[in-house]
Amino acid sequence: MGVLPNLLGYNVRRAQIALWRDFSRTVGEGEVRPALFSLMILVEANPGIAQIDIANQLDIDKATIVGLVQRLQKRSCVVCRQSTVDRRRQGIYLTDRGAAELRQLRQEMLEHEARFTRLFSSEELAQLFALLRRIHP
Amino acid sequence: MGVLPNLLGYNVRRAQIALWRDFSRTVGEGEVRPALFSLMILVEANPGIAQIDIANQLDIDKATIVGLVQRLQKRSCVVCRQSTVDRRRQGIYLTDRGAAELRQLRQEMLEHEARFTRLFSSEELAQLFALLRRIHP
DNA sequence: TATTGTTATACTCTATAACTATA
DNA sequence: TATAGTTATAGAGTATAACAATA
């Protein structure tokens, strides 16, 4: 088949597609994908976080965040409240419904994770994490 | 920042985005991305390969291949010739121009790869490959 | 009946550029 | 001037469903 299997980028991409597929088919009834899930996790852990902070933490452009937040607003999972100290900022908060949904999502996500992490010993997993983090410092 | 950095899926996704960005900015003047590149590599290594075989090797749906092949046809990088033994099949071949373009692309891709592989010792790299392959068997 | 290629359609995620309101 | 959010637009890559031609 050639050189492809010996390329780092190819192997990471294939792994990512495999994970994405399993996630899509098992988490959130196919309506929530990794990016949206990450955003919910972030909002839960940082109530009132602003879009710009999300963009920086996830290392993606702030314009990309807008659409994700709007999708969560439409699902009534988050609300935005303008900051009183800096009116440019809008704090994002999980709603009760969002929190409930996230509980379910987290459960499904953990089962999804487990289907892959159980392929590794804990030493191997720690090693894999360390190596991947060197790629996205 | 919470639980995200301890998730396998999150780390693979972040690594993939980092690799994708570097690839986009350094290979093929931003006009060729990993999927198209993979397809060219596959066609070069298997002259006359059919779309269905590409789909199987890359583990993506055959409908997805159509658009990629058409883009390469428009760039005059590949040609399709109907098989004489099974007229449903269309063998895909790299043109001279495609081969020349691929030589340039491969050089840029190797430099791109090197920017990441040099973050690891050869043992670490072998380990990383082995671990990633367990995720996409 | 099954397979190959195709079309149509839709979705996620990302990006850039330019704008508004605010600081 | 700089920052936060937004809008508009674009593009890659994936998927499903249905179809024609061929086997």
Side-chain angles (χ1 to χ4, degrees):
Chain A
M1 159 151 178
V3 71
L4 254 24
N6 297 315
L7 295 178
L8 178 59
Y10 180 76
N11 281 281
V12 171
R13 190 158 71 95
R14 287 290 299 262
Q16 207 260 324
I17 292 173
L19 286 157
W20 175 282
R21 262 179 209 155
D22 189 84
F23 191 107
S24 296
R25 288 174 183 165
T26 61
V27 179
E29 295 173 334
E31 291 191 10
V32 174
R33 245 52 58 102
L36 219 49
F37 175 80
S38 300
L39 207 154
M40 289 180 77
I41 289 285
L42 221 45
V43 172
E44 183 196 45
N46 306 275
I49 192 172
Q51 291 193 20
I52 189 70
D53 300 321
I54 294 173
N56 290 336
Q57 287 218 38
L58 299 179
D59 189 26
I60 51 184
D61 194 274
K62 61 189 163 69
T64 306
I65 308 295
V66 180
L68 298 174
V69 169
Q70 286 174 346
R71 277 159 64 194
L72 289 179
Q73 284 178 307
K74 277 184 197 136
R75 297 170 69 88
S76 302
C77 287
V78 302
V79 289
C80 298
R81 289 203 297 271
Q82 199 176 46
S83 163
T84 50
V85 299
D86 182 344
R87 297 198 330 257
R88 291 173 304 180
R89 294 174 71 92
Q90 289 182 27
I92 306 173
Y93 299 87
L94 223 50
T95 61
D96 288 348
R97 173 172 172 169
E101 204 162 295
L102 187 51
R103 271 193 295 279
Q104 172 70 18
L105 289 175
R106 182 187 282 108
Q107 181 56 37
E108 292 167 352
M109 180 279 292
L110 288 174
E111 290 162 10
H112 151 76
E113 275 275 309
R115 276 191 292 281
F116 291 90
T117 55
R118 74 175 166 223
L119 301 171
F120 308 102
S121 71
S122 57
E123 291 79 15
E124 287 172 333
L125 202 55
Q127 171 79 345
L128 179 52
F129 275 53
L131 296 172
L132 288 172
R133 285 194 191 110
R134 246 184 272 177
I135 299 177
H136 66 95
Chain B
M1 158 149 178
V3 72
L4 254 24
N6 297 316
L7 295 177
L8 178 59
Y10 179 76
N11 281 281
V12 171
R13 191 159 70 95
R14 287 290 300 263
Q16 207 261 323
I17 292 174
L19 285 157
W20 175 283
R21 260 179 210 154
D22 189 84
F23 191 106
S24 295
R25 289 175 184 165
T26 61
V27 179
E29 296 173 332
E31 292 191 8
V32 174
R33 246 52 57 107
L36 219 49
F37 175 80
S38 300
L39 207 154
M40 288 180 79
I41 289 285
L42 220 45
V43 172
E44 183 196 43
N46 306 275
I49 192 172
Q51 291 192 19
I52 190 70
D53 300 321
I54 294 173
N56 291 335
Q57 287 217 38
L58 299 179
D59 190 27
I60 51 183
D61 194 275
K62 61 189 163 69
T64 305
I65 308 295
V66 180
L68 298 175
V69 170
Q70 287 173 346
R71 278 159 62 195
L72 288 180
Q73 284 179 305
K74 275 183 198 135
R75 297 170 69 88
S76 303
C77 287
V78 302
V79 290
C80 298
R81 288 204 298 271
Q82 200 175 44
S83 163
T84 51
V85 299
D86 181 343
R87 297 199 328 257
R88 291 173 306 181
R89 295 174 70 90
Q90 289 182 28
I92 305 173
Y93 300 87
L94 223 50
T95 61
D96 287 348
R97 173 172 172 169
E101 206 163 293
L102 187 50
R103 270 194 297 278
Q104 173 69 18
L105 289 173
R106 182 187 283 107
Q107 182 56 36
E108 292 166 353
M109 180 277 293
L110 289 174
E111 290 162 12
H112 151 76
E113 276 274 308
R115 278 191 291 281
F116 291 90
T117 55
R118 74 175 166 221
L119 301 171
F120 308 102
S121 71
S122 55
E123 290 78 16
E124 287 172 333
L125 201 56
Q127 172 80 345
L128 179 53
F129 275 54
L131 296 172
L132 288 172
R133 286 196 190 108
R134 246 184 272 177
I135 299 177
H136 67 94

